[in-house]
Amino acid sequence: MTSAPNTSTATAPIHAAIAGEALIDLIRRPDGSYLPCLGGALYNLCRALARQGVGTQYLTPLSRDRFGRELAAQLVADGVVLAQPEPVQQVTSLAVVNLDAHGHPDYAFYREGVADRAVSAAGLGDSCTALPALQLVCTGALALDARDTAIYLPWLAAQRAAGCCVVVDANLRPSVMPDLAAYRTAVHAALAHAHIIKASDEDLEHLAVPGGDALARAQHLLAAHPQAHLLALTLGAAGAWLLHRNGAQCFAKEAQPLPVVDTVGAGDSFLAGLLAHLLRQSQAAELASFAQFVDGLTADACQQALRHALASASLCVMEQGCVPPAWEAAQARALAR
């Protein structure tokens, strides 16, 4: 279940801290059996960022069970630093994944009494002040459960106040939330703290954002959260947009259909590629903070980052499960295409 180590980021300064679910995707095969794959949106994002050369810390505890040990081993192999290296007794979350004819996943989650929910606001800590090189923090997906807002919302507010760039990946899973109205409220509460928002066309529909199409809904969502500087809208095979508060709008799409194996982890790889490219641009610009750089993004900088993000997602969908590409592979594809 693990892949070859990538130790290039093992000694890198920590520029990103990630909090959110780590789980096992049980992906149904054509013969009816299930293939266990390491997963979880924020877990995937951690791995994908590290593989793209970003020093990354994972803040959420992992289980002492076999799955938890494998999740931890893969993070370490990819160069991710574990903020809580001691495992906890709670079991690992499971997601049963059924794929349709186009490789799109449908999920059923098992998350009661699990390790990735055995986290507290105190456990997340004050990442932005504890890690001197930290530029961004990110959460989203299942961490936006209304039952966990007392953990994540104060943490997001504190990180933003401390000067970190806050990234929130909406990545909604309404089928597993007991109260959809409360879930939508919790998601919007998290987005209110974000400098960067990532959402798919499906996320905008689940949030009941008004608008005649996905782009109009994304524009409405950005307007509804005035503290956000940048919104990434993913449309699956139809491409992706970047919308900036300064009015810049960029679009990118693959020129030819891809040989899709499945789309597990595609959005996570997209976000990692986007953040990795923006972080490199920020370091070259030598501004005081990453948040300041994002606030002043130019249309050209947005377009370059978007192409790299799309290339990262494209490489992922051509593999089974979430196999995030390295920086070099994503950059080579972005330049070639």
Side-chain angles (χ1 to χ4, degrees):
M1 291 174 61
T2 59
S3 59
N6 174 6
T7 58
S8 61
T9 61
T11 59
I14 303 299
H15 289 141
I18 313 298
E21 78 272 8
L23 49 80
I24 299 298
D25 286 320
L26 298 174
I27 301 176
R28 183 178 174 86
R29 293 165 159 164
D31 65 1
S33 64
Y34 285 87
L35 174 68
C37 295
L38 309 179
L42 281 305
Y43 177 86
N44 291 341
L45 177 63
C46 260
R47 294 185 56 214
L49 279 170
R51 288 189 174 204
Q52 297 240 7
V54 177
T56 304
Q57 185 177 73
Y58 185 57
L59 302 174
T60 305
L62 295 166
S63 175
R64 62 189 297 179
D65 65 20
R66 177 180 175 179
F67 285 147
R69 296 195 301 271
E70 291 180 350
L71 287 162
Q74 184 63 68
L75 287 175
V76 172
D78 285 323
V80 176
V81 175
L82 301 180
Q84 301 185 52
E86 290 300 317
V88 296
Q89 186 152 358
Q90 290 88 339
V91 298
T92 300
S93 294
L94 299 177
V96 178
V97 186
N98 291 298
L99 303 174
D100 65 18
H102 304 288
H104 299 303
D106 173 69
Y107 295 90
F109 292 96
Y110 298 84
R111 301 193 68 241
E112 294 301 323
V114 292
D116 56 296
R117 294 186 71 191
V119 65
S120 65
L124 291 176
D126 192 359
S127 306
C128 203
T129 55
L131 299 167
L134 193 68
Q135 295 294 321
L136 68 90
V137 297
C138 181
T139 193
L142 295 175
L144 304 183
D145 189 329
R147 295 166 291 184
D148 296 333
T149 53
I151 298 170
Y152 288 99
L153 292 184
W155 177 68
L156 291 177
Q159 302 319 298
R160 180 158 187 145
C164 268
C165 179
V166 172
V167 182
V168 177
D169 181 5
N171 205 350
L172 270 69
R173 297 286 184 257
S175 63
V176 297
M177 298 302 168
D179 185 335
L180 184 55
Y183 183 33
R184 286 173 176 159
T185 298
V187 172
H188 279 293
L191 297 180
H193 295 295
H195 295 87
I196 300 175
I197 296 170
K198 176 189 160 286
S200 69
D201 49 352
E202 292 182 348
D203 293 332
L204 300 180
E205 290 182 12
H206 294 320
L207 282 173
V209 178
D213 59 20
L215 179 58
R217 293 187 188 105
Q219 292 166 336
H220 181 94
L221 186 66
L222 185 59
H225 293 290
Q227 290 203 94
H229 302 318
L230 186 67
L231 187 149
L233 169 64
T234 58
L235 305 169
W241 287 88
L242 277 186
L243 313 178
H244 197 281
R245 182 157 303 283
N246 63 18
Q249 294 189 165
C250 303
F251 175 77
K253 178 185 176 183
E254 285 287 350
Q256 301 293 331
L258 297 172
V260 175
V261 176
D262 66 51
T263 61
V264 176
D268 313 319
S269 296
F270 174 94
L271 180 56
L274 176 69
L275 295 175
H277 200 281
L278 291 175
L279 279 166
R280 292 203 180 206
Q281 291 188 59
S282 173
Q283 291 163 4
E286 298 182 341
L287 294 177
S289 72
F290 182 57
Q292 181 183 354
F293 172 76
V294 172
D295 185 26
L297 271 178
T298 64
D300 182 62
C302 283
Q303 189 69 57
Q304 291 182 45
L306 179 58
R307 288 173 179 165
H308 186 86
L310 188 67
S312 301
S314 296
L315 289 169
C316 181
V317 302
M318 292 186 281
E319 303 279 354
Q320 184 169 53
C322 181
V323 183
W327 168 270
E328 294 79 10
Q331 187 68 346
R333 181 177 180 86
L335 293 174
R337 303 259 171 176

PDB file of all heavy atoms in Angstrom, residues 307-319:
ATOM      1  N   ARG A 307      -2.071  26.290 -14.518  1.00  0.00           N
ATOM      2  CA  ARG A 307      -1.597  25.257 -15.440  1.00  0.00           C
ATOM      3  C   ARG A 307      -0.864  24.148 -14.700  1.00  0.00           C
ATOM      4  O   ARG A 307      -1.027  22.960 -14.992  1.00  0.00           O
ATOM      5  CB  ARG A 307      -0.681  25.879 -16.492  1.00  0.00           C
ATOM      6  CG  ARG A 307      -1.408  26.732 -17.519  1.00  0.00           C
ATOM      7  CD  ARG A 307      -0.421  27.441 -18.423  1.00  0.00           C
ATOM      8  NE  ARG A 307      -1.107  28.253 -19.429  1.00  0.00           N
ATOM      9  CZ  ARG A 307      -0.519  29.194 -20.149  1.00  0.00           C
ATOM     10  NH1 ARG A 307       0.782  29.445 -19.980  1.00  0.00           N
ATOM     11  NH2 ARG A 307      -1.197  29.894 -21.048  1.00  0.00           N
ATOM     12  N   HIS A 308      -0.063  24.545 -13.713  1.00  0.00           N
ATOM     13  CA  HIS A 308       0.668  23.547 -12.926  1.00  0.00           C
ATOM     14  C   HIS A 308      -0.302  22.707 -12.097  1.00  0.00           C
ATOM     15  O   HIS A 308      -0.137  21.481 -11.987  1.00  0.00           O
ATOM     16  CB  HIS A 308       1.679  24.250 -12.014  1.00  0.00           C
ATOM     17  CG  HIS A 308       2.572  23.311 -11.281  1.00  0.00           C
ATOM     18  ND1 HIS A 308       3.737  22.804 -11.808  1.00  0.00           N
ATOM     19  CD2 HIS A 308       2.461  22.763 -10.044  1.00  0.00           C
ATOM     20  CE1 HIS A 308       4.312  21.992 -10.948  1.00  0.00           C
ATOM     21  NE2 HIS A 308       3.549  21.951  -9.856  1.00  0.00           N
ATOM     22  N   ALA A 309      -1.317  23.341 -11.535  1.00  0.00           N
ATOM     23  CA  ALA A 309      -2.317  22.621 -10.747  1.00  0.00           C
ATOM     24  C   ALA A 309      -3.072  21.616 -11.614  1.00  0.00           C
ATOM     25  O   ALA A 309      -3.294  20.470 -11.210  1.00  0.00           O
ATOM     26  CB  ALA A 309      -3.289  23.612 -10.107  1.00  0.00           C
ATOM     27  N   LEU A 310      -3.466  22.043 -12.797  1.00  0.00           N
ATOM     28  CA  LEU A 310      -4.196  21.156 -13.701  1.00  0.00           C
ATOM     29  C   LEU A 310      -3.321  19.977 -14.128  1.00  0.00           C
ATOM     30  O   LEU A 310      -3.787  18.830 -14.186  1.00  0.00           O
ATOM     31  CB  LEU A 310      -4.667  21.934 -14.929  1.00  0.00           C
ATOM     32  CG  LEU A 310      -5.606  21.187 -15.871  1.00  0.00           C
ATOM     33  CD1 LEU A 310      -6.940  20.916 -15.190  1.00  0.00           C
ATOM     34  CD2 LEU A 310      -5.830  21.978 -17.158  1.00  0.00           C
ATOM     35  N   ALA A 311      -2.057  20.230 -14.408  1.00  0.00           N
ATOM     36  CA  ALA A 311      -1.140  19.147 -14.773  1.00  0.00           C
ATOM     37  C   ALA A 311      -0.994  18.153 -13.625  1.00  0.00           C
ATOM     38  O   ALA A 311      -0.934  16.936 -13.846  1.00  0.00           O
ATOM     39  CB  ALA A 311       0.222  19.724 -15.147  1.00  0.00           C
ATOM     40  N   SER A 312      -0.965  18.657 -12.400  1.00  0.00           N
ATOM     41  CA  SER A 312      -0.854  17.780 -11.226  1.00  0.00           C
ATOM     42  C   SER A 312      -2.063  16.868 -11.117  1.00  0.00           C
ATOM     43  O   SER A 312      -1.937  15.664 -10.852  1.00  0.00           O
ATOM     44  CB  SER A 312      -0.714  18.626  -9.956  1.00  0.00           C
ATOM     45  OG  SER A 312       0.426  19.454 -10.019  1.00  0.00           O
ATOM     46  N   ALA A 313      -3.261  17.424 -11.318  1.00  0.00           N
ATOM     47  CA  ALA A 313      -4.480  16.618 -11.258  1.00  0.00           C
ATOM     48  C   ALA A 313      -4.523  15.608 -12.398  1.00  0.00           C
ATOM     49  O   ALA A 313      -4.933  14.455 -12.213  1.00  0.00           O
ATOM     50  CB  ALA A 313      -5.700  17.532 -11.310  1.00  0.00           C
ATOM     51  N   SER A 314      -4.111  16.012 -13.591  1.00  0.00           N
ATOM     52  CA  SER A 314      -4.150  15.124 -14.756  1.00  0.00           C
ATOM     53  C   SER A 314      -3.261  13.902 -14.555  1.00  0.00           C
ATOM     54  O   SER A 314      -3.640  12.772 -14.899  1.00  0.00           O
ATOM     55  CB  SER A 314      -3.719  15.886 -16.010  1.00  0.00           C
ATOM     56  OG  SER A 314      -4.636  16.921 -16.303  1.00  0.00           O
ATOM     57  N   LEU A 315      -2.080  14.111 -14.000  1.00  0.00           N
ATOM     58  CA  LEU A 315      -1.184  12.983 -13.748  1.00  0.00           C
ATOM     59  C   LEU A 315      -1.782  12.030 -12.710  1.00  0.00           C
ATOM     60  O   LEU A 315      -1.612  10.818 -12.803  1.00  0.00           O
ATOM     61  CB  LEU A 315       0.178  13.496 -13.283  1.00  0.00           C
ATOM     62  CG  LEU A 315       1.021  14.181 -14.363  1.00  0.00           C
ATOM     63  CD1 LEU A 315       2.222  14.882 -13.741  1.00  0.00           C
ATOM     64  CD2 LEU A 315       1.474  13.176 -15.413  1.00  0.00           C
ATOM     65  N   CYS A 316      -2.508  12.583 -11.745  1.00  0.00           N
ATOM     66  CA  CYS A 316      -3.119  11.757 -10.698  1.00  0.00           C
ATOM     67  C   CYS A 316      -4.213  10.853 -11.261  1.00  0.00           C
ATOM     68  O   CYS A 316      -4.288   9.669 -10.910  1.00  0.00           O
ATOM     69  CB  CYS A 316      -3.670  12.636  -9.586  1.00  0.00           C
ATOM     70  SG  CYS A 316      -4.433  11.710  -8.234  1.00  0.00           S
ATOM     71  N   VAL A 317      -5.078  11.390 -12.124  1.00  0.00           N
ATOM     72  CA  VAL A 317      -6.220  10.595 -12.599  1.00  0.00           C
ATOM     73  C   VAL A 317      -5.795   9.461 -13.520  1.00  0.00           C
ATOM     74  O   VAL A 317      -6.584   8.541 -13.776  1.00  0.00           O
ATOM     75  CB  VAL A 317      -7.277  11.468 -13.314  1.00  0.00           C
ATOM     76  CG1 VAL A 317      -7.779  12.567 -12.410  1.00  0.00           C
ATOM     77  CG2 VAL A 317      -6.759  12.033 -14.632  1.00  0.00           C
ATOM     78  N   MET A 318      -4.565   9.482 -13.989  1.00  0.00           N
ATOM     79  CA  MET A 318      -4.080   8.403 -14.832  1.00  0.00           C
ATOM     80  C   MET A 318      -3.479   7.257 -14.019  1.00  0.00           C
ATOM     81  O   MET A 318      -2.920   6.315 -14.573  1.00  0.00           O
ATOM     82  CB  MET A 318      -3.072   8.952 -15.850  1.00  0.00           C
ATOM     83  CG  MET A 318      -3.727   9.861 -16.886  1.00  0.00           C
ATOM     84  SD  MET A 318      -2.625  10.395 -18.220  1.00  0.00           S
ATOM     85  CE  MET A 318      -1.714  11.715 -17.425  1.00  0.00           C
ATOM     86  N   GLU A 319      -3.600   7.349 -12.680  1.00  0.00           N
ATOM     87  CA  GLU A 319      -3.136   6.297 -11.772  1.00  0.00           C
ATOM     88  C   GLU A 319      -4.324   5.778 -10.959  1.00  0.00           C
ATOM     89  O   GLU A 319      -5.340   6.462 -10.828  1.00  0.00           O
ATOM     90  CB  GLU A 319      -2.086   6.861 -10.799  1.00  0.00           C
ATOM     91  CG  GLU A 319      -0.881   7.481 -11.465  1.00  0.00           C
ATOM     92  CD  GLU A 319       0.137   6.460 -11.907  1.00  0.00           C
ATOM     93  OE1 GLU A 319      -0.032   5.268 -11.594  1.00  0.00           O
ATOM     94  OE2 GLU A 319       1.117   6.857 -12.560  1.00  0.00           O
TER      95      GLU A 319
END
